[in-house]
mmCIF file of all heavy atoms in Angstrom:
data_model
loop_
_atom_site.group_PDB
_atom_site.id
_atom_site.type_symbol
_atom_site.label_atom_id
_atom_site.label_comp_id
_atom_site.label_asym_id
_atom_site.label_seq_id
_atom_site.Cartn_x
_atom_site.Cartn_y
_atom_site.Cartn_z
ATOM 1 N N LEU T 1 -12.123 53.448 -139.268
ATOM 2 C CA LEU T 1 -13.374 54.073 -138.822
ATOM 3 C C LEU T 1 -13.264 55.595 -138.841
ATOM 4 O O LEU T 1 -14.203 56.291 -139.233
ATOM 5 C CB LEU T 1 -13.732 53.579 -137.418
ATOM 6 C CG LEU T 1 -14.989 54.183 -136.801
ATOM 7 C CD1 LEU T 1 -16.213 53.930 -137.685
ATOM 8 C CD2 LEU T 1 -15.231 53.634 -135.390
ATOM 9 N N ARG T 2 -12.078 56.105 -138.413
ATOM 10 C CA ARG T 2 -11.889 57.570 -138.448
ATOM 11 C C ARG T 2 -11.967 58.092 -139.875
ATOM 12 O O ARG T 2 -12.550 59.145 -140.143
ATOM 13 C CB ARG T 2 -10.537 57.931 -137.803
ATOM 14 C CG ARG T 2 -10.527 57.831 -136.287
ATOM 15 C CD ARG T 2 -9.283 58.510 -135.698
ATOM 16 N NE ARG T 2 -8.047 57.854 -136.124
ATOM 17 C CZ ARG T 2 -7.475 56.836 -135.477
ATOM 18 N NH1 ARG T 2 -8.041 56.330 -134.386
ATOM 19 N NH2 ARG T 2 -6.337 56.314 -135.912
ATOM 20 N N GLN T 3 -11.388 57.348 -140.797
ATOM 21 C CA GLN T 3 -11.448 57.758 -142.202
ATOM 22 C C GLN T 3 -12.891 57.746 -142.724
ATOM 23 O O GLN T 3 -13.328 58.677 -143.422
ATOM 24 C CB GLN T 3 -10.585 56.824 -143.051
ATOM 25 C CG GLN T 3 -9.094 57.017 -142.851
ATOM 26 C CD GLN T 3 -8.282 56.061 -143.720
ATOM 27 O OE1 GLN T 3 -8.817 55.109 -144.292
ATOM 28 N NE2 GLN T 3 -6.973 56.301 -143.812
ATOM 29 N N VAL T 4 -13.620 56.685 -142.373
ATOM 30 C CA VAL T 4 -15.015 56.576 -142.816
ATOM 31 C C VAL T 4 -15.852 57.697 -142.216
ATOM 32 O O VAL T 4 -16.678 58.328 -142.905
ATOM 33 C CB VAL T 4 -15.596 55.190 -142.433
ATOM 34 C CG1 VAL T 4 -17.128 55.196 -142.596
ATOM 35 C CG2 VAL T 4 -14.984 54.110 -143.296
ATOM 36 N N LEU T 5 -15.642 57.961 -140.922
ATOM 37 C CA LEU T 5 -16.413 59.012 -140.256
ATOM 38 C C LEU T 5 -16.152 60.371 -140.909
ATOM 39 O O LEU T 5 -17.083 61.150 -141.163
ATOM 40 C CB LEU T 5 -16.060 59.058 -138.773
ATOM 41 C CG LEU T 5 -16.836 60.057 -137.915
ATOM 42 C CD1 LEU T 5 -18.339 59.779 -137.968
ATOM 43 C CD2 LEU T 5 -16.345 60.029 -136.473
ATOM 44 N N GLU T 6 -14.890 60.644 -141.219
ATOM 45 C CA GLU T 6 -14.542 61.910 -141.869
ATOM 46 C C GLU T 6 -15.183 62.000 -143.262
ATOM 47 O O GLU T 6 -15.700 63.050 -143.668
ATOM 48 C CB GLU T 6 -13.025 62.023 -141.980
ATOM 49 C CG GLU T 6 -12.551 63.338 -142.585
ATOM 50 C CD GLU T 6 -11.027 63.410 -142.667
ATOM 51 O OE1 GLU T 6 -10.343 62.606 -141.993
ATOM 52 O OE2 GLU T 6 -10.530 64.268 -143.416
ATOM 53 N N PHE T 7 -15.171 60.884 -143.980
ATOM 54 C CA PHE T 7 -15.763 60.826 -145.324
ATOM 55 C C PHE T 7 -17.270 61.063 -145.260
ATOM 56 O O PHE T 7 -17.836 61.825 -146.076
ATOM 57 C CB PHE T 7 -15.454 59.463 -145.954
ATOM 58 C CG PHE T 7 -16.039 59.286 -147.323
ATOM 59 C CD1 PHE T 7 -15.477 59.899 -148.434
ATOM 60 C CD2 PHE T 7 -17.168 58.486 -147.505
ATOM 61 C CE1 PHE T 7 -16.017 59.724 -149.702
ATOM 62 C CE2 PHE T 7 -17.722 58.320 -148.773
ATOM 63 C CZ PHE T 7 -17.138 58.937 -149.879
ATOM 64 N N VAL T 8 -17.941 60.436 -144.299
ATOM 65 C CA VAL T 8 -19.398 60.592 -144.167
ATOM 66 C C VAL T 8 -19.752 62.012 -143.763
ATOM 67 O O VAL T 8 -20.727 62.598 -144.269
ATOM 68 C CB VAL T 8 -19.954 59.569 -143.158
ATOM 69 C CG1 VAL T 8 -21.421 59.861 -142.848
ATOM 70 C CG2 VAL T 8 -19.815 58.154 -143.707
ATOM 71 N N GLN T 9 -18.966 62.602 -142.836
ATOM 72 C CA GLN T 9 -19.226 63.986 -142.418
ATOM 73 C C GLN T 9 -19.133 64.952 -143.606
ATOM 74 O O GLN T 9 -19.981 65.827 -143.784
ATOM 75 C CB GLN T 9 -18.223 64.400 -141.332
ATOM 76 C CG GLN T 9 -18.465 63.781 -139.976
ATOM 77 C CD GLN T 9 -17.366 64.133 -138.986
ATOM 78 O OE1 GLN T 9 -16.212 64.405 -139.375
ATOM 79 N NE2 GLN T 9 -17.692 64.110 -137.701
ATOM 80 N N LYS T 10 -18.106 64.761 -144.409
ATOM 81 C CA LYS T 10 -17.906 65.637 -145.569
ATOM 82 C C LYS T 10 -19.044 65.462 -146.581
ATOM 83 O O LYS T 10 -19.596 66.453 -147.098
ATOM 84 C CB LYS T 10 -16.560 65.318 -146.220
ATOM 85 C CG LYS T 10 -16.231 66.214 -147.411
ATOM 86 C CD LYS T 10 -14.861 65.871 -147.991
ATOM 87 C CE LYS T 10 -14.531 66.746 -149.191
ATOM 88 N NZ LYS T 10 -13.201 66.399 -149.779
ATOM 89 N N GLY T 11 -19.400 64.211 -146.852
ATOM 90 C CA GLY T 11 -20.480 63.959 -147.809
ATOM 91 C C GLY T 11 -21.815 64.509 -147.326
ATOM 92 O O GLY T 11 -22.600 65.081 -148.102
ATOM 93 N N ALA T 12 -22.097 64.344 -146.022
ATOM 94 C CA ALA T 12 -23.364 64.838 -145.462
ATOM 95 C C ALA T 12 -23.421 66.356 -145.538
ATOM 96 O O ALA T 12 -24.474 66.942 -145.859
ATOM 97 C CB ALA T 12 -23.508 64.373 -144.016
ATOM 98 N N ASP T 13 -22.288 66.992 -145.241
ATOM 99 C CA ASP T 13 -22.255 68.463 -145.284
ATOM 100 C C ASP T 13 -22.527 68.964 -146.697
ATOM 101 O O ASP T 13 -23.274 69.925 -146.918
ATOM 102 C CB ASP T 13 -20.894 68.943 -144.784
ATOM 103 C CG ASP T 13 -20.872 70.442 -144.518
ATOM 104 O OD1 ASP T 13 -21.964 71.034 -144.347
ATOM 105 O OD2 ASP T 13 -19.783 71.035 -144.482
ATOM 106 N N GLN T 14 -21.932 68.310 -147.689
ATOM 107 C CA GLN T 14 -22.128 68.712 -149.083
ATOM 108 C C GLN T 14 -23.568 68.455 -149.542
ATOM 109 O O GLN T 14 -24.124 69.224 -150.335
ATOM 110 C CB GLN T 14 -21.150 67.961 -149.989
ATOM 111 C CG GLN T 14 -19.699 68.382 -149.820
ATOM 112 C CD GLN T 14 -18.751 67.531 -150.644
ATOM 113 O OE1 GLN T 14 -19.109 66.438 -151.100
ATOM 114 N NE2 GLN T 14 -17.523 68.012 -150.829
ATOM 115 N N THR T 15 -24.164 67.383 -149.043
ATOM 116 C CA THR T 15 -25.507 67.003 -149.499
ATOM 117 C C THR T 15 -26.601 67.753 -148.760
ATOM 118 O O THR T 15 -27.552 68.258 -149.370
ATOM 119 C CB THR T 15 -25.715 65.490 -149.326
ATOM 120 O OG1 THR T 15 -24.689 64.797 -150.033
ATOM 121 C CG2 THR T 15 -27.083 65.061 -149.857
ATOM 122 N N LEU T 16 -26.471 67.813 -147.441
ATOM 123 C CA LEU T 16 -27.540 68.395 -146.615
ATOM 124 C C LEU T 16 -27.316 69.868 -146.285
ATOM 125 O O LEU T 16 -28.228 70.548 -145.826
ATOM 126 C CB LEU T 16 -27.673 67.602 -145.301
ATOM 127 C CG LEU T 16 -28.038 66.116 -145.449
ATOM 128 C CD1 LEU T 16 -27.996 65.425 -144.087
ATOM 129 C CD2 LEU T 16 -29.410 65.956 -146.081
ATOM 130 N N GLY T 17 -26.085 70.332 -146.504
ATOM 131 C CA GLY T 17 -25.799 71.727 -146.156
ATOM 132 C C GLY T 17 -25.405 71.896 -144.699
ATOM 133 O O GLY T 17 -25.168 73.014 -144.237
ATOM 134 N N HIS T 18 -25.317 70.814 -143.958
ATOM 135 C CA HIS T 18 -24.859 70.828 -142.562
ATOM 136 C C HIS T 18 -24.478 69.398 -142.184
ATOM 137 O O HIS T 18 -24.782 68.447 -142.909
ATOM 138 C CB HIS T 18 -25.955 71.338 -141.622
ATOM 139 C CG HIS T 18 -27.121 70.421 -141.516
ATOM 140 N ND1 HIS T 18 -28.115 70.353 -142.475
ATOM 141 C CD2 HIS T 18 -27.444 69.472 -140.573
ATOM 142 C CE1 HIS T 18 -29.002 69.433 -142.131
ATOM 143 N NE2 HIS T 18 -28.626 68.884 -140.984
ATOM 144 N N ILE T 19 -23.814 69.252 -141.052
ATOM 145 C CA ILE T 19 -23.456 67.915 -140.567
ATOM 146 C C ILE T 19 -24.446 67.515 -139.491
ATOM 147 O O ILE T 19 -24.494 68.119 -138.411
ATOM 148 C CB ILE T 19 -22.014 67.897 -139.998
ATOM 149 C CG1 ILE T 19 -21.015 68.299 -141.097
ATOM 150 C CG2 ILE T 19 -21.675 66.505 -139.448
ATOM 151 C CD1 ILE T 19 -19.582 68.411 -140.601
ATOM 152 N N PRO T 20 -25.276 66.514 -139.764
ATOM 153 C CA PRO T 20 -26.260 66.081 -138.782
ATOM 154 C C PRO T 20 -25.588 65.225 -137.710
ATOM 155 O O PRO T 20 -24.404 64.883 -137.819
ATOM 156 C CB PRO T 20 -27.222 65.253 -139.629
ATOM 157 C CG PRO T 20 -26.355 64.650 -140.683
ATOM 158 C CD PRO T 20 -25.315 65.693 -140.987
ATOM 159 N N PRO T 21 -26.340 64.837 -136.665
ATOM 160 C CA PRO T 21 -25.779 63.873 -135.696
ATOM 161 C C PRO T 21 -25.401 62.579 -136.416
ATOM 162 O O PRO T 21 -26.171 62.080 -137.233
ATOM 163 C CB PRO T 21 -26.939 63.642 -134.727
ATOM 164 C CG PRO T 21 -27.789 64.866 -134.856
ATOM 165 C CD PRO T 21 -27.680 65.290 -136.294
ATOM 166 N N ILE T 22 -24.203 62.068 -136.144
ATOM 167 C CA ILE T 22 -23.712 60.842 -136.778
ATOM 168 C C ILE T 22 -23.324 59.838 -135.688
ATOM 169 O O ILE T 22 -22.589 60.180 -134.755
ATOM 170 C CB ILE T 22 -22.511 61.125 -137.700
ATOM 171 C CG1 ILE T 22 -22.896 62.137 -138.800
ATOM 172 C CG2 ILE T 22 -21.996 59.838 -138.338
ATOM 173 C CD1 ILE T 22 -21.741 62.533 -139.717
ATOM 174 N N PHE T 23 -23.807 58.624 -135.830
ATOM 175 C CA PHE T 23 -23.538 57.580 -134.845
ATOM 176 C C PHE T 23 -22.894 56.388 -135.540
ATOM 177 O O PHE T 23 -23.386 55.919 -136.578
ATOM 178 C CB PHE T 23 -24.831 57.138 -134.149
ATOM 179 C CG PHE T 23 -25.489 58.259 -133.378
ATOM 180 C CD1 PHE T 23 -26.420 59.075 -134.001
ATOM 181 C CD2 PHE T 23 -25.145 58.500 -132.066
ATOM 182 C CE1 PHE T 23 -27.019 60.115 -133.314
ATOM 183 C CE2 PHE T 23 -25.733 59.539 -131.360
ATOM 184 C CZ PHE T 23 -26.664 60.353 -131.989
ATOM 185 N N SER T 24 -21.780 55.921 -134.966
ATOM 186 C CA SER T 24 -21.084 54.742 -135.476
ATOM 187 C C SER T 24 -21.455 53.561 -134.577
ATOM 188 O O SER T 24 -21.144 53.566 -133.373
ATOM 189 C CB SER T 24 -19.571 54.953 -135.454
ATOM 190 O OG SER T 24 -19.219 56.118 -136.188
ATOM 191 N N VAL T 25 -22.126 52.555 -135.147
ATOM 192 C CA VAL T 25 -22.634 51.453 -134.325
ATOM 193 C C VAL T 25 -22.316 50.106 -134.965
ATOM 194 O O VAL T 25 -21.978 50.032 -136.163
ATOM 195 C CB VAL T 25 -24.164 51.567 -134.117
ATOM 196 C CG1 VAL T 25 -24.530 52.902 -133.495
ATOM 197 C CG2 VAL T 25 -24.910 51.353 -135.433
ATOM 198 N N SER T 26 -22.458 49.072 -134.133
ATOM 199 C CA SER T 26 -22.366 47.699 -134.623
ATOM 200 C C SER T 26 -23.569 46.931 -134.078
ATOM 201 O O SER T 26 -23.593 46.557 -132.898
ATOM 202 C CB SER T 26 -21.054 47.023 -134.170
ATOM 203 O OG SER T 26 -21.080 45.646 -134.487
ATOM 204 N N ALA T 27 -24.556 46.748 -134.935
ATOM 205 C CA ALA T 27 -25.737 45.991 -134.512
ATOM 206 C C ALA T 27 -25.357 44.558 -134.164
ATOM 207 O O ALA T 27 -25.941 43.948 -133.259
ATOM 208 C CB ALA T 27 -26.779 46.020 -135.634
ATOM 209 N N ARG T 28 -24.348 44.019 -134.860
ATOM 210 C CA ARG T 28 -23.920 42.641 -134.591
ATOM 211 C C ARG T 28 -23.396 42.508 -133.168
ATOM 212 O O ARG T 28 -23.738 41.560 -132.456
ATOM 213 C CB ARG T 28 -22.860 42.225 -135.609
ATOM 214 C CG ARG T 28 -22.320 40.801 -135.372
ATOM 215 C CD ARG T 28 -21.221 40.475 -136.352
ATOM 216 N NE ARG T 28 -21.730 40.459 -137.730
ATOM 217 C CZ ARG T 28 -20.956 40.286 -138.792
ATOM 218 N NH1 ARG T 28 -19.635 40.151 -138.636
ATOM 219 N NH2 ARG T 28 -21.469 40.289 -140.012
ATOM 220 N N ARG T 29 -22.539 43.434 -132.718
ATOM 221 C CA ARG T 29 -22.001 43.375 -131.356
ATOM 222 C C ARG T 29 -23.120 43.489 -130.323
ATOM 223 O O ARG T 29 -23.092 42.826 -129.283
ATOM 224 C CB ARG T 29 -20.984 44.491 -131.147
ATOM 225 C CG ARG T 29 -19.650 44.253 -131.854
ATOM 226 C CD ARG T 29 -18.747 45.466 -131.748
ATOM 227 N NE ARG T 29 -17.460 45.257 -132.434
ATOM 228 C CZ ARG T 29 -16.566 46.212 -132.674
ATOM 229 N NH1 ARG T 29 -16.826 47.463 -132.282
ATOM 230 N NH2 ARG T 29 -15.445 45.936 -133.288
ATOM 231 N N ALA T 30 -24.102 44.337 -130.634
ATOM 232 C CA ALA T 30 -25.225 44.461 -129.694
ATOM 233 C C ALA T 30 -25.973 43.145 -129.591
ATOM 234 O O ALA T 30 -26.359 42.714 -128.484
ATOM 235 C CB ALA T 30 -26.168 45.568 -130.143
ATOM 236 N N ARG T 31 -26.182 42.460 -130.713
ATOM 237 C CA ARG T 31 -26.890 41.186 -130.696
ATOM 238 C C ARG T 31 -26.060 40.098 -130.024
ATOM 239 O O ARG T 31 -26.603 39.116 -129.521
ATOM 240 C CB ARG T 31 -27.230 40.763 -132.141
ATOM 241 C CG ARG T 31 -28.114 41.742 -132.891
ATOM 242 C CD ARG T 31 -29.510 41.894 -132.261
ATOM 243 N NE ARG T 31 -30.265 40.672 -132.371
ATOM 244 C CZ ARG T 31 -30.759 39.983 -131.336
ATOM 245 N NH1 ARG T 31 -30.601 40.434 -130.098
ATOM 246 N NH2 ARG T 31 -31.425 38.870 -131.515
ATOM 247 N N GLN T 32 -24.735 40.329 -129.985
ATOM 248 C CA GLN T 32 -23.846 39.377 -129.309
ATOM 249 C C GLN T 32 -23.714 39.668 -127.819
ATOM 250 O O GLN T 32 -22.969 39.002 -127.115
ATOM 251 C CB GLN T 32 -22.460 39.393 -129.979
ATOM 252 C CG GLN T 32 -22.455 38.832 -131.395
ATOM 253 C CD GLN T 32 -21.135 39.057 -132.111
ATOM 254 O OE1 GLN T 32 -20.285 39.854 -131.667
ATOM 255 N NE2 GLN T 32 -20.950 38.370 -133.250
#
């Protein structure tokens, strides 16, 4: 998850020009 979060932050910064709010969630766990 840490690797994925770092990857998404880097990609978002390159695409959007900044790092927006990022949330890591599990809809399945919530439904459980």
Side-chain angles (χ1 to χ4, degrees):
L1 178 58
R2 285 193 297 271
Q3 288 180 347
V4 167
L5 183 59
E6 183 180 344
F7 179 76
V8 171
Q9 287 175 333
K10 182 178 179 181
D13 192 20
Q14 290 175 343
T15 303
L16 299 174
H18 67 281
I19 300 176
I22 301 177
F23 298 90
S24 304
V25 303
S26 171
R28 178 183 296 175
R29 286 173 180 169
R31 300 296 294 121
Q32 292 171 346

